[in-house]
Amino acid sequence: KIDLLSIFVFFFNDPATTEIYTLSLHDALPISNLVPDLLTSDDNSVSLRHVNATPIHIARERYDLDGCALAESLATVLASIHRIGPAISLPPELCLPSKGATWAARALDHLDAMTRALERMDQSLAPLMGLVRSRATDELGVLADVRAGFVHGDFCGANLLVSDDDHSRVYVVDWEWAAIADTELDIARILWLDKIGRGPKVWTTPKEKAVFLATYASSSGRTELDDRHHQWYGLWFAVSHALVAVGRERRGSEARTYLEHCHSAATGGW
């Protein structure tokens, strides 16, 4: 039996994962193409089988996939994940807002802690981190209205697979950053990774992107998505990636790239 309290963490509060990335172990880890496929479940047991699946960026090259149909399926899956939160009974401490602190305050506190950590690593980053904190505080009002739900935390091309047999099923893996949080986080992460050209993509063409976003909006009961939410979280993601990169390589090329994203997000037009 899984203790739900043990898996709901706030943002990326996972020291084991942080160490793997900081020590450059991530790319050296073996990757399996076996994923669990649910057969049956009840109150006492779960029956699984393992099936072969391929990451979507490889599947696109290997199989004749309809990109728009795949984008539609992925958006439907993500909207279904986000509906899990309101459908289950949560302890009060896991609901938003909690413990007297709003979601916005908690998010700002976490971003502030990351910027302070970057300053401790490299004092020359203090002016940039000051800009980041100032912009995040000025724009914090965009987080006043959030939709709480079950969030994957790293819904990106690297964690999405397509079944090898008939290519009709999509699997989502790597749930270590899952949390009850603002569901805009997942969308914001997808858009941010697409913007900076990082990692395998959820979509590969503007048309697929439009299909994904439209399908997600309709599947989640929204008339439109909130770009200002996404921009705030984009700043947050830039800082979190910079923190890992600076910790791993100090002033190397990857660290410089993410620090440039921090500057762009902190000073650009929203």
Side-chain angles (χ1 to χ4, degrees), residues 27 76 107 130 173 204 232 251:
D27 293 337
T76 303
V173 298
T204 57
W232 200 98
R251 304 294 289 185

Side-chain angles (χ1 to χ4, degrees), residues 169-230:
R169 295 184 304 282
V170 172
Y171 297 94
V172 186
V173 298
D174 197 359
W175 292 83
E176 73 218 77
W177 289 343
I180 296 297
D182 182 3
T183 54
E184 293 285 356
L185 270 168
D186 277 336
I187 296 295
R189 182 162 178 78
I190 298 167
L191 291 169
W192 182 74
L193 290 172
D194 180 60
K195 179 180 179 180
I196 69 171
R198 176 77 177 181
K201 297 181 180 298
V202 173
W203 52 71
T204 57
T205 67
K207 184 177 180 180
E208 290 176 16
K209 176 181 179 179
V211 168
F212 179 93
L213 295 176
T215 302
Y216 175 82
S218 62
S219 298
S220 57
R222 306 184 188 195
T223 55
E224 60 183 12
L225 302 179
D226 191 338
D227 287 340
R228 292 177 66 82
H229 267 74
H230 304 155

